[in-house]
Amino acid sequence: MELRTDAYHATKEKAALEICGGGFDYTRCSKNSRLGPGAYFFDDIDRAIRYTKNASHLRDHRCSVLSCVIRCSPEHLLDLTKIAQRNELKRVVAVIVKKTPELNNKQAESVAVQMVSESQGVGVVKMIMPSGWNRI
C-alpha cells in the first residue's frame, strides 16, 4: 500500500523554476535545518506562504510555493505524529545527549532523526511542528 499526501514547498523563485525543470536536487539541500539535510514541506498552503514572508533566508527574495504530492510506502515513513515512534525517537535523543553532552536537545534530535532514518531506510519523516513542515 502506498501512502500519498499533498504538500507544499516554499522556496526562492529561481529554485522553484529549477525544481520544476529537473526535480529536487538533494545535494543542494540545507545542511543546517533542524532535522538535517532534506527537502521540507508544509501540509498547509497558507503556512507555506507565511513561511516565505517570515523565514530570514526567504523574506527579501521573490518566492514561490510548489504544490507537490509525496508518495512512499509505509516502511519508508518515520511518522512522529504516532506516539510509539515519537517515544522511540525520544529514547535515541536521550542516549545521544548522555553520550554527547555538548549537543543541545535540538541538535540531538536532528542527529537522532538522521540515525533512525538511515538505520531503518526511512525516506519521509512526518511530524507535527508549530510551523507545520515535514522533511523528505
Side-chain angles (χ1 to χ4, degrees):
M1 176 178 101
E2 183 177 74
L3 302 174
R4 181 183 163 104
T5 188
D6 294 326
Y8 305 93
H9 181 71
T11 189
K12 295 175 186 170
E13 189 175 85
K14 181 180 181 213
L17 292 170
E18 291 172 1
I19 292 166
C20 288
F24 284 94
D25 179 357
Y26 294 101
T27 64
R28 295 183 56 195
C29 292
S30 171
K31 308 292 187 253
N32 300 318
S33 298
R34 180 164 180 205
L35 299 178
Y40 289 77
F41 295 85
F42 291 86
D43 57 0
D44 179 291
I45 192 166
D46 293 326
R47 286 182 169 180
I49 291 168
R50 278 195 308 275
Y51 182 75
T52 65
K53 296 174 183 173
N54 296 324
S56 61
H57 69 288
L58 294 178
R59 77 171 74 115
D60 296 329
H61 299 275
R62 290 179 55 107
C63 295
S64 296
V65 174
L66 300 175
S67 177
C68 307
V69 175
I70 297 175
R71 298 181 317 214
C72 75
S73 57
E75 64 270 13
H76 294 124
L77 173 68
L78 175 59
D79 189 349
L80 297 176
T81 65
K82 307 283 186 208
I83 291 172
Q85 291 188 356
R86 251 191 343 262
N87 287 340
E88 177 60 29
L89 185 69
K90 285 179 186 178
R91 284 191 286 278
V92 174
V93 169
V95 169
I96 291 169
V97 167
K98 185 175 182 179
K99 291 186 176 201
T100 320
E102 64 272 14
L103 295 181
N104 64 38
N105 279 346
K106 284 185 179 180
Q107 292 167 324
E109 182 183 57
S110 175
V111 171
V113 167
Q114 291 176 62
M115 288 174 61
V116 170
S117 296
E118 289 173 10
S119 70
Q120 295 180 7
V122 167
V124 178
V125 178
K126 179 180 180 184
M127 62 188 306
I128 301 170
M129 297 290 296
S131 57
W133 45 264
N134 303 313
R135 175 181 77 94
I136 72 160

